Amino acid sequence: WRYAEAACVRHPETELAQEYKRVDGNLRRALEVFLGHYQMSLRSKEPANTAFLAELIFDIWNATFLELIKNEHLDLAEHEARLSARLRPLAAMLFTDAFLESPVLKPTKS
């Protein structure tokens, strides 16, 4: 991953860089689809914007992932702890307590 990140920054026009961008885009879309399955309840009482939430979560995950690949002393357990330390307070600010305690899926269409 270190090589891929460095190569993409240095040579953004290459096929590797383009594929890396596609993978990032696919991860964002998968996260948006995943979030879209939930009947989210926000503290703001506004409807949940799954595209925005997916982008926000992805950005936090990606920054934490970059820390992991840049620091050879970090392991996956520490990565998970750092990610949780960033996402849990954000989730508490965004979502209602009821949703966080018991997330509800949207009804499936028959």
Side-chain angles (χ1 to χ4, degrees):
W1 288 111
R2 289 176 184 148
Y3 172 80
E5 278 291 332
C8 293
V9 169
R10 291 184 70 207
H11 305 288
E13 72 288 346
T14 64
E15 181 58 32
L16 172 65
Q18 297 308 308
E19 183 61 26
Y20 201 84
K21 288 178 192 173
R22 282 191 288 275
V23 168
D24 276 356
N26 288 338
L27 287 170
R28 283 185 187 97
R29 282 186 291 283
L31 184 54
E32 183 178 349
V33 168
F34 175 79
L35 293 172
H37 290 293
Y38 286 91
Q39 204 164 327
M40 288 183 265
S41 179
L42 300 179
R43 290 191 184 279
S44 68
K45 304 206 182 343
E46 296 293 321
N49 180 333
T50 54
F52 173 78
L53 290 170
E55 189 74 23
L56 183 62
I57 293 167
F58 179 86
D59 288 348
I60 292 168
W61 171 84
N62 196 45
T64 308
F65 176 71
L66 289 174
E67 286 179 15
L68 172 68
I69 65 173
K70 288 193 282 184
N71 185 341
E72 63 188 43
H73 301 292
L74 290 181
D75 60 14
L76 289 178
E78 180 63 23
H79 169 66
E80 182 179 353
R82 288 175 180 219
L83 190 56
S84 181
R86 291 177 179 169
L87 289 176
R88 285 184 187 280
L90 178 64
M93 286 186 271
L94 292 172
F95 301 106
T96 63
D97 293 339
F99 177 75
L100 290 174
E101 289 170 14
S102 184
V104 176
L105 292 172
K106 290 179 180 174
T108 56
K109 297 177 183 176
S110 302

